[in-house]
Structures are given as structure tokens and as C-alpha cells.
Amino acid sequence: MLEQLINGLTQGSVYALLALGFTIIFGTLRMVTFAHGEVFMGGAYVGLTLFTYLTPSLPLALLVAAVVTFIMGALIEIIAFRFLRNAPHFSSLLVTIGLSVILINLAQLIFGPETRSIPPALIEDLAFGEIQIFGFYVTYLQMAVLGVAIAMMVATYFFIEHTPIGLAIRATSQDHEAAYAMGVNVNRIFTLTFAVGSMMGGIAGVLIGLYYNVFYPTMGILLGIKAFSASVVGGLVSMPGAIIAGLTIGVIESFAVDFWNASYRHLVAFVFMIIILVIRPAGIMGKSGPMSGRGD
Amino acid sequence: MLKLTDVHTYYGHFHALKGISLEVGDGEIVSLLGGNACGKSTTMKSILGMVKAKQGTIEYDGRQISGLPPSDVVRAGISPVLERRRLFPELTVEENLTMGAYLRSDKAAIKADAEKMAELFPIVAERRKQLAGSLSGGEQQMVAMARALMASPRLLIMDEPSMGLSPKYVETVFEVIQDVNAKEGVAMLLVEQNANMALSIAARGYVLQTGEIVLSGSADELLNNPQMQKAYLGVA
Ligand SMILES: Nc1ncnc2c1ncn2[C@@H]1O[C@H](COP(=O)(O)OP(=O)(O)OP(=O)(O)O)[C@@H](O)[C@H]1O
Ligand SMILES: [Mg+2]
């Protein structure tokens, strides 16, 4: 029972991280990106490549994936949003869909269409080494995933709520024209926010990639949808909402796997999200304003 | 200090400003009057660089500022109070003021200015940690002025500060405008529909009609102009 909870929280913390990235992006640009899952996939493949061909170091993989997906995010924002700032919203949406298809194809070209994994010997220590806490076992990998995801969420919260750039991001998310009139370089804030949100997706990719040790070009599709859904369930612009929704979905999935069968997990996750949205159409934290950390 | 010469601004094909010329002198209060949709806000946005003037020149302290983005215009010393106040609703009063000083890096001076705002506007001191969106309209107007002043401007452009306020609050707002002008020497370009009020504190005024200046002069001249009395001052 407790084990299921730990499994669920581990998985859920990554959903939460992905959903948080999505929420920051939507909260600021007021635009949906459909390439978030592919940024996640990109981060995962960075992890695969570094572990397999360079050195099995988690910090290094996280760092490189962070840099790569930060740049990916900045480029996606510039191509899909900045270039189309005055175009109808649909155009940007379509371009992000196009970019996600291009990214999947690129991954097929570079890494092959087949499912790949890191040679088990290289992650043995991480995956099977375990420690006992309060009488139950947690693997190093679970601790690492949970720890990194939580650290990233705390760091993001601090960045948005307690730094001067975070203040400019919040101001821009609430009224970008007024922010522009105060001298804020709104374009730069949009690109930066998108890059930071994408970086969180990339880090989630490394974590999930290592956790399950399966990598394939379309691995981001379902997770992208799930992150989007978790973000919507959380209220779409609420950071605490995204985190709570992500964690809850992870835990529910984990119990579903335990009680029924692993193949029902997505079904259970989406049924849960649909129920929440029927009960609270604006999401768990639906009433909260733009990019609010207070979530009330 | 500010001089517009034959400024034309378009929204797409729509010719919103058809050759505006006006001047604001050092430390002067000048009002720009006119009814709905005549181009008052567009004039203000053209000065700020939020929309580009297609033709004509905008000079500030003898320097061309037309074509510059708002960041450069604000840095040069012009700060806006936007129409409908436009505070960041989910930021606290204090955070809104910090955003007003966004382009400044002189920490000590910013802090000193924030304290000065707290003296000038009691509401700023009382509601430091309150979300700006939860203030009343009049209170928000005060905070909006404080935020604009945090940029340490020499010219404040205000778009309809009296809009939507009760008569009592309108008076307070205009008193504060006069006060800031007298104490800090900040020049004001006051965009208003409330001509009576605006001319009671302004030295001069311009009257805008469908993108053109149709009348200008000292406040007294305008107050006594029969055309003006009929159209804008509500004198029978
Ligand atoms: N972004 C825009 N796109 C197209 N037309 C615009 C835009 N902004 C303003 N206009 C038009 O330009 C004209 C002048 O508008 P402006 O906002 O400058 O008027 P105003 O004098 O400030 O009016 P009000 O007193 O209602 O605030 C109006 O006809 C308006 O419809
Ligand atoms: Mg206006």
C-alpha cells in the first residue's frame, strides 16, 4: 500500500513537473503549445545518449538536457509565437503541432524508430540500489526522481514568486500591454518563460526515461496530453493546481495498476480528469487569477 | 520639453491621428481634451511608442523619440498612467510599484522613492501587501499614479485619471496631480474628457476631434470660449 503510494508519487511528481511547465507557458503567453511532449521526448533522448555513450551520470544528464530543452523551447517560442504574434491563435497552435511532428521525425532519423533502452548494467546501481525508510524500501532512482522533481518545482516557485525576473513574468502574464508600457521587453519575457517551461519538460524527460528505461520517438505524445490535462484540471494558470493535479493523477494511476492491470492506468487517469472537470469545469484551482502562486 | 509636430498614426488603414501638433513645457500641466474615440489614447500611445507614428516628429528635450520602443521612452523620462489604470491585479500594491521602477537599477534611490510614494499616497502605505485588483477604483488610481512616478519621470502622461470615479474622488485625484506637479516639478500631459476639472488645474489645453486638434489655448481662454462651453463644458 505504502509502496504504491511511493510509486504513485514518484510518477506523479514527474507529471506535476511537466504540467507546471505547461502552466507557466500558458499562464504567461495565454497560448497552448502542442510540442511540450516532444520537448519532453528530446530531454529523454539526451539522457539516453549521455548515459549510453558518455557516462552514466544523472547530474550531467539533467544539466545537458536542461540546456538543450531550454534552447528548444526558446526556438519553438520564436518560430511558433513571436513570428505569429499578430496572426490568429489557430496559426500558432498549428505550428506547434507541426513542430511536434517534425521533432518526432527527427528523433526517428537520429535515434531510429525502434524502442531503445540504456544498457541495464549502466543504471543497475541507480535502479536497484535501495534504502530502507521507516520500514519500506525506496530505490535510489525513485528518490532521485522524486527529489529532482520536487527541487525543480520549489526552484520554479521561488523563481516566479521571489525574483525580479519572476515579478516581470507575473506582471506580463497579467497584463502584457501594461508591462510593455513600463518598459518590459515582453518578447524576451515570453521567450524566457517558454524556455524555462520547456526545460522543466526536458528534465521530466530524463527522469521518466531513466525510471522506465524505454525510449521511443512517440513517447512524448501521451505524456504531453497528460501534462496538458493535468494543467487543465489544475486550473490551467495555477501553479499549485498543476502540482496537485499531477501528483494526484500519478497516485491514482499507481493504485489502478495495483488493483486491476497496468493497461488500465491511462483509462483510469483520464476518467478521473474528466470527472473532476465535470464537477469543477474551471479546474481544481479554477478561480485563481493569472499565474497566481496563491491559488485562491 | 515634449513637442509633437504633425503626427499621423494609423491602425491598419484607419487614419486615427491626422497631424497632431502639441507642446508641453518644463514643469507644465497641459490637458488634452476630447470626446470618445477622438484619438486621445492614440496620441498617448504614439508618444510612448506603443503604436508607431507613421509621419511627423515627436521630440523630447530636443531629441527624436518617435520610433523608439516604450522602454527607451520611459528611460528618457516619460512615464504613463494608462487608461483604466491597468494595475497588475494579482500583484500586491508594493509589487506594482516595483514594476513601475522596472528600468531603474539604483536600488537605494528606488527605495527612497517608494517611501516618498507612501507619504504622497496614504493608500500605498496602508495597503502595501494587498492585491491591487482588490482595491476600489479610486484607490487603484492613486496606486497607478504612484507606480508611474516610480519610474522617476520628468513628464507624466495620464489617460483619463478621473474615469469611473465618484466626484469626491475625482477632486482628490486632481488635488494629488497638482500636488505632485508643485512638489516634484513633474510636468503633466493630462488626457481627459472631464474638461472642467482638467482645465481647472492645467495651464493650457488642446481639444481633439476625430484625430485633429480643433482648438487650443490657455486654460482661461478655453474656459471662456463659447464653442468650448457648448460642446465640452456643459454651459448652456
Ligand atoms: N488597436 C486599435 N485598432 C484599431 N482601431 C483602433 C485601435 N485603437 C483605437 N482605435 C480606433 O482609433 C480611434 C481613436 O481611439 P482612441 O482610443 O485613441 O480614442 P480616445 O479618444 O482615447 O477615446 P476614449 O475617450 O473612448 O478613450 C477610435 O475610432 C478607435 O476605434
Ligand atoms: Mg482613450
Side-chain angles (χ1 to χ4, degrees):
Chain A
M1 189 71 182
L2 217 50
E3 221 169 281
Q4 294 316 317
L5 186 65
I6 296 287
N7 287 342
L9 284 176
T10 308
Q11 173 79 48
S13 68
V14 180
Y15 290 161
L17 191 56
L18 262 172
L20 187 57
F22 195 92
T23 293
I24 291 176
I25 292 171
F26 179 83
T28 308
L29 278 85
R30 297 288 141 161
M31 296 271 227
V32 169
T33 166
F34 280 118
H36 200 51
E38 278 55 54
V39 172
F40 160 88
M41 176 269 290
Y45 271 106
V46 169
L48 169 76
T49 308
L50 286 177
F51 262 69
T52 310
Y53 301 109
L54 196 61
T55 168
S57 152
L58 180 60
L60 182 74
L62 289 172
L63 187 73
V64 175
V67 172
V68 169
T69 50
F70 184 93
I71 294 169
M72 270 172 86
L75 290 176
I76 294 172
E77 198 282 324
I78 290 169
I79 295 168
F81 297 99
R82 188 185 296 191
F83 287 171
L84 300 175
R85 197 78 80 211
N86 299 317
H89 286 194
F90 276 123
S91 310
S92 288
L93 208 67
L94 208 66
V95 173
T96 64
I97 294 174
L99 285 173
S100 80
V101 173
I102 291 172
L103 287 169
I104 291 172
N105 270 290
L106 270 178
Q108 282 169 344
L109 271 174
I110 300 172
F111 303 102
E114 70 278 7
T115 298
R116 300 184 52 175
S117 22
I118 301 167
L122 291 175
I123 50 169
E124 219 164 42
D125 289 350
L126 262 177
F128 299 114
E130 48 186 16
I131 52 166
Q132 209 181 356
I133 305 173
F134 304 123
F136 57 90
Y137 290 95
V138 185
T139 67
Y140 292 154
L141 192 52
Q142 279 183 324
M143 297 238 310
V145 170
L146 208 54
V148 170
I150 290 172
M152 280 300 295
M153 289 187 263
V154 171
T156 305
Y157 190 83
F158 182 83
F159 171 66
I160 300 278
E161 292 289 327
H162 295 288
T163 66
I165 300 178
L167 180 63
I169 291 176
R170 280 183 290 146
T172 304
S173 80
Q174 290 166 30
D175 189 338
H176 62 86
E177 208 186 16
Y180 186 52
M182 315 272 99
V184 176
N185 185 332
V186 170
N187 273 334
R188 203 180 296 162
I189 292 288
F190 282 157
T191 305
L192 174 74
T193 310
F194 207 104
V196 169
S198 298
M199 183 179 84
M200 294 164 74
I203 285 176
V206 174
L207 296 176
I208 284 279
L210 286 179
Y211 193 52
Y212 292 112
N213 199 12
V214 276
F215 300 82
Y216 49 98
T218 52
M219 67 189 284
I221 296 177
L222 192 62
L223 247 93
I225 296 173
K226 224 178 256 181
F228 174 54
S229 316
S231 174
V232 172
V233 166
L236 209 44
V237 290
S238 158
M239 297 199 285
I243 293 171
I244 293 170
L247 286 173
T248 312
I249 292 163
V251 170
I252 286 179
E253 272 189 29
S254 163
F255 281 105
V257 171
D258 198 38
F259 290 135
W260 293 293
N261 181 308
S263 46
Y264 292 143
R265 56 189 296 183
H266 303 306
L267 182 134
V268 172
F270 281 102
V271 167
F272 164 74
M273 291 193 269
I274 291 167
I275 292 172
I276 292 286
L277 287 178
V278 168
I279 300 170
R280 284 190 69 106
I284 305 173
M285 299 285 192
K287 267 200 289 184
S288 97
M291 287 289 282
S292 154
R294 286 161 274 267
D296 125 288
Chain B
M1 74 198 304
L2 179 74
K3 187 170 183 207
L4 276 67
T5 314
D6 192 31
V7 170
H8 291 257
T9 302
Y10 292 79
Y11 293 111
H13 291 293
F14 179 68
H15 199 170
L17 298 185
K18 304 166 187 161
I20 301 285
S21 300
L22 63 81
E23 252 180 280
V24 182
D26 261 310
E28 198 181 18
I29 302 183
V30 173
S31 65
L32 181 61
L33 307 167
N36 282 119
C38 64
K40 303 183 299 296
S41 297
T42 304
T43 306
M44 169 160 171
K45 286 181 179 169
S46 303
I47 296 169
L48 267 177
M50 294 180 71
V51 295
K52 284 215 161 52
K54 194 165 180 180
Q55 193 189 317
T57 59
I58 303 174
E59 285 167 82
Y60 180 71
D61 281 345
R63 194 178 131 215
Q64 260 291 355
I65 59 162
S66 47
L68 295 183
S71 51
D72 288 341
V73 176
V74 174
R75 229 180 243 118
I78 302 178
S79 183
V81 178
L82 300 174
E83 189 171 354
R84 292 171 212 286
R85 311 173 258 284
R86 300 291 282 272
L87 292 179
F88 302 110
E90 296 273 324
L91 298 187
T92 63
V93 168
E94 198 169 41
E95 287 171 328
N96 267 281
L97 261 58
T98 307
M99 282 310 295
Y102 182 74
L103 294 169
R104 297 170 62 187
S105 47
D106 43 344
K107 279 218 173 83
I110 294 174
K111 198 153 172 266
D113 278 355
E115 272 155 31
K116 196 158 73 185
M117 291 313 138
E119 278 168 37
L120 224 47
F121 305 92
I123 193 81
V124 168
E126 286 160 24
R127 310 288 181 85
R128 228 177 261 281
K129 299 287 177 198
Q130 190 173 328
L131 295 189
S134 65
L135 298 173
S136 78
E139 292 167 344
Q140 288 193 22
Q141 189 60 51
M142 297 296 172
V143 177
M145 282 195 271
R147 177 177 71 176
L149 287 168
M150 284 301 291
S152 189
R154 289 178 44 237
L155 171 64
L156 208 57
I157 11 185
M158 284 188 271
D159 200 345
E160 304 202 41
S162 75
M163 185 195 275
L165 304 187
S166 69
K168 179 184 146 277
Y169 235 119
V170 172
E171 242 165 80
T172 317
V173 165
F174 278 82
E175 271 163 28
V176 171
I177 293 172
Q178 253 183 320
D179 201 37
V180 169
N181 173 259
K183 277 193 195 147
E184 314 289 330
V186 180
M188 311 268 177
L189 177 58
L190 185 55
V191 172
E192 263 300 342
Q193 294 206 32
N194 189 337
N196 270 315
M197 257 336 230
L199 289 174
S200 72
I201 64 167
R204 296 184 300 113
Y206 296 86
V207 180
L208 205 52
Q209 219 171 61
T210 53
E212 283 172 289
I213 289 184
V214 291
L215 214 60
S216 67
S218 73
D220 285 339
E221 278 164 19
L222 288 178
L223 283 167
N224 294 317
N225 182 304
Q227 216 184 322
M228 190 65 202
Q229 287 179 340
K230 208 162 136 214
Y232 297 103
L233 298 168
V235 179

